[in-house]
Amino acid sequence: MRSGRTCRYYGCGLVIPECLENCWILDLGSGSGRDCYALSQLVGEKGHVTGIDMTEGQVEVANKYIEYHMEKYGFQSPNVTFIHGYIEKLGEAGIKNESYDIVISNCVINLVPDKQQVLQEVYRVLKHGGELYFSDVYASLELPEEVRTHKVLRGECLGGALYWKDLAILAQKIGFCPPRLVTANFITVQNKELENMIGDCRFVSATFRLFKLPKTGPTKRCQVVYNGGITGHEKELIFDANFTFKKDETVEVDEETAAILKNSRFAQDFLIRPNGEKLPTCGGYTAFEAKDISTDPFKLAEGSDNAKSRSPPEAASGCRGTEKCC
């Protein structure tokens, strides 16, 4: 944004995935456009970023800076659009079927009561091979009614937090692959009254990736080699909490990971062969064991050396969208 404007950032994590050049991206709850403008530079002039937000004022602010950013990035024409609408009603906002490569969201889905409808709409607008890459708040337990409806807890993105195990149930019911956990960090509640109300429940901010894959036959375990072709990740690609692919190193992956790499935008950056076939690489070899797969964000937060606790912002409306201008 232009200097002189004060903005506050209320996202749960960094929602900028890898391999973005020429992609079409939709940002759910785009606020005043911070993430969209960062992404618009990364996708390049042939890509496109659409931000949708329920607050007209935020959309108006975001639209003010289109010309500024296009000039700054040296683009001949704008590659970003902002729409006023609801993330659980993307069709009403004019967003068509299978029109985006990637959908992102930063601490917004927890504020929508009907999370299944949000995920259903995302699935509809994603192309086959597309991905929902999003950060949000999750609860360790099913939240009681008094917590879910508490005004302050909802405003702080806690009351609407999804029980983490329910994400996999909803995602697979809709048609997504099982969620891939990327990062997780604890959220602390520094208010005695709210702490007593929450009880034994804990909260994390976690980043997951969900892939919409074409309906193909069963995929077998494979050996894959990353070619180092993704800008900014030439030496290694940290795909999620379970897989880090180093350039030229052969890695044995499970069926699900093989299907994702074969059928998504990452396919061009991997050499993929059946197990047992010798691959022409000069790197090492890493075998994968299914029991090591990490899906629990609370265990990841506990086990991470850099796990840091953070307190929710004081303002009750602090998490709506990715940023708030004052």
Side-chain angles (χ1 to χ4, degrees):
M1 294 295 176
R2 295 181 197 262
S3 58
R5 176 173 291 277
T6 303
C7 292
R8 288 183 289 173
Y9 183 78
Y10 287 135
C12 299
L14 183 66
V15 287
I16 298 183
E18 321 80 9
C19 196
L20 300 180
E21 190 175 356
N22 299 331
C23 286
W24 278 60
I25 301 178
L26 174 65
D27 181 5
L28 306 180
S30 53
S32 53
R34 177 172 175 165
D35 287 347
C36 288
Y37 284 122
L39 289 162
S40 72
Q41 184 178 25
L42 295 172
V43 301
E45 201 163 6
K46 293 182 180 179
H48 192 89
V49 181
T50 302
I52 182 169
D53 199 275
M54 64 176 284
T55 308
E56 286 187 79
Q58 294 282 62
V59 175
E60 289 174 6
V61 171
N63 275 317
K64 288 180 181 179
Y65 298 98
I66 291 178
E67 186 178 340
Y68 166 78
H69 282 91
M70 297 309 103
E71 182 179 335
K72 182 177 180 180
Y73 299 154
F75 296 165
Q76 296 299 310
S77 58
N79 70 342
V80 62
T81 305
F82 295 100
I83 300 172
H84 175 240
Y86 294 89
I87 66 173
E88 67 271 42
K89 299 177 181 178
L90 298 178
E92 291 184 8
I95 298 176
K96 298 179 180 179
N97 294 353
E98 299 178 13
S99 51
Y100 287 92
D101 301 292
I102 303 166
V103 176
I104 67 163
S105 174
N106 200 343
C107 204
V108 175
I109 295 176
N110 71 84
L111 293 165
V112 180
D114 193 345
K115 295 170 179 58
Q116 180 173 327
Q117 182 60 31
V118 175
L119 295 179
Q120 188 71 62
E121 279 291 271
V122 170
Y123 190 87
R124 179 182 66 80
V125 305
L126 277 174
K127 299 174 184 178
H128 288 290
E131 172 186 18
L132 169 60
Y133 187 93
F134 68 116
S135 290
D136 222 310
V137 180
Y138 296 89
S140 62
L141 305 168
E142 293 277 5
L143 296 178
E145 179 73 10
E146 63 175 359
V147 172
R148 287 190 286 108
T149 57
H150 191 279
K151 185 178 179 180
V152 174
L153 289 173
R154 282 203 67 85
E156 300 295 3
C157 304
L158 301 181
L162 188 68
Y163 173 42
W164 74 272
K165 289 185 178 180
D166 286 344
L167 175 63
I169 295 171
L170 290 176
Q172 292 179 78
K173 179 180 179 181
I174 290 165
F176 284 106
C177 289
R180 309 296 297 226
L181 176 62
V182 181
T183 61
N185 291 284
F186 283 115
I187 296 173
T188 58
V189 178
Q190 297 179 335
N191 178 297
K192 210 65 183 173
E193 181 183 345
L194 297 180
E195 203 175 340
N196 291 335
M197 180 177 290
I198 291 167
D200 294 332
C201 186
R202 295 182 299 164
F203 295 92
V204 292
S205 64
T207 300
F208 283 95
R209 49 198 331 165
L210 295 177
F211 286 89
K212 174 184 176 179
L213 300 187
K215 307 299 181 186
T216 58
T219 303
K220 296 181 180 180
R221 293 169 68 93
C222 292
Q223 296 177 42
V224 304
V225 180
Y226 173 51
N227 64 19
I230 299 175
T231 302
H233 305 271
E234 290 83 2
K235 292 185 178 180
E236 68 174 24
L237 172 65
I238 302 174
F239 189 73
D240 58 19
N242 301 289
F243 287 101
T244 295
F245 299 106
K246 295 184 179 180
K247 184 178 185 298
D248 294 334
E249 180 180 86
T250 302
V251 180
E252 184 181 331
V253 298
D254 61 301
E255 297 87 344
E256 179 189 310
T257 304
I260 290 171
L261 295 179
K262 279 183 177 180
N263 294 287
S264 69
R265 68 187 186 280
F266 294 98
Q268 63 185 354
D269 297 298
F270 283 86
L271 178 62
I272 304 173
R273 293 290 184 270
N275 272 354
E277 183 175 324
K278 189 174 180 180
L279 294 177
T281 65
C282 56
Y285 176 83
T286 301
F288 165 77
E289 296 183 21
K291 64 182 176 62
D292 294 330
I293 275 283
S294 175
T295 60
D296 184 342
F298 291 88
K299 286 186 179 179
L300 181 62
E302 286 172 356
S304 173
D305 289 335
N306 346 329
K308 297 177 182 178
S309 296
R310 72 170 178 88
S311 299
E314 293 180 6
S317 60
C319 279
R320 187 48 166 161
T322 55
E323 65 177 305
K324 181 179 179 180
C325 286
C326 52

